[in-house]
Amino acid sequence: MAEVWPIEQVVLVGFMGSGKTSVGAELALRLGWPHLDTDEIIERAERRKISDIFQNSGEQYFRTLEARATGALAAQKEVLISTGGGWMMDPRLPAMLRPAATLVWLEVSAEQALHRLGGTEARDCRPLLASPDPEATVRRMLAEREPIYRTADHAISTDGLSVADVATEIEMLLRSHQ
Ligand code: S3P
């Protein structure tokens, strides 16, 4: 596929629990591209977990790191990038990768996101959900963010689909837009 592939970067965006990291890993394998995850890049650079960064340095600092990590990805070609759920909320970040990048929104309902994020461990990794009422938080944040996710180049509905199913849908979609 790579020899006729005109797309330089594929960037997965969407809410927490939409499957960006797991689908990204699967899709990158299929494309034969490296998989880069902005949250992982940040954790590696900081040598600490996202939850630690939020707790001890604050969300604003995390967002600065997210912008820095994105800037460093701009020159990379033929890479699959998974982002954090808030990545698109600052328009400067997608602008750093566009127009070379194709942004794919992994759409997820509040119910499905809550189901996928149901485990305590999954929630512990996501400081923004550490609220007394995670369900209300997910619904509110999703409602606020959906109009922005919608500005991605493509949308894939992930509810009820496996990681492999979603990867296949994206692969087909990308091929059809060659
Ligand atoms: C965030 C989502 C997280 C991580 C950070 C902030 C958000 O990534 O970047 O906790 O603002 O939605 P995932 O979407 O991979 O959980």
Side-chain angles (χ1 to χ4, degrees):
M1 180 191 282
E3 65 277 7
V4 288
W5 197 243
I7 295 171
E8 292 187 0
Q9 294 184 342
V10 175
V11 182
L12 302 185
V13 302
F15 199 69
M16 293 172 266
S18 59
K20 301 176 296 289
T21 301
S22 38
V23 170
E26 168 76 21
L27 189 59
L29 265 182
R30 295 190 193 184
L31 300 179
W33 286 2
H35 177 220
L36 305 170
D37 182 299
T38 54
D39 283 348
E40 269 176 35
I41 293 170
I42 292 167
E43 287 187 337
R44 226 178 304 124
E46 286 282 300
R47 294 207 189 92
R48 53 186 176 140
K49 294 281 171 200
I50 304 283
S51 50
D52 187 337
I53 300 171
F54 267 74
Q55 200 178 333
N56 294 306
S57 308
E59 178 172 354
Q60 213 37 57
Y61 180 67
F62 171 77
R63 299 299 172 197
T64 310
L65 298 174
E66 211 171 25
R68 195 180 300 160
T70 304
L73 292 173
Q76 306 235 26
K77 292 197 166 53
E78 303 204 330
V79 288
L80 194 299
I81 300 170
S82 296
T83 59
W87 183 84
M88 274 193 94
M89 301 308 118
D90 179 345
R92 286 173 300 182
L93 274 59
M96 287 179 195
L97 303 187
R98 277 176 155 153
T102 298
L103 270 56
V104 181
W105 172 31
L106 302 192
E107 205 177 344
V108 68
S109 66
E111 290 72 25
Q112 182 85 72
L114 282 159
H115 177 70
R116 293 186 191 151
L117 299 168
T120 320
E121 199 185 319
R123 279 199 191 146
D124 283 352
C125 296
R126 294 173 169 91
L128 293 174
L129 298 184
S131 79
D133 188 351
E135 182 173 344
T137 306
V138 163
R139 289 187 194 284
R140 177 183 51 77
M141 288 178 74
L142 245 186
E144 282 169 9
R145 289 177 169 190
E146 268 184 356
I148 300 160
Y149 293 140
R150 210 171 284 288
T151 64
D153 302 297
H154 305 287
I156 298 279
S157 178
T158 71
D159 277 15
L161 295 187
S162 67
V163 167
D165 288 342
V166 178
T168 300
E169 293 241 356
I170 300 174
E171 223 184 326
M172 287 183 343
L173 179 126
L174 295 174
R175 280 178 192 278
S176 71
H177 282 83
Q178 277 187 76

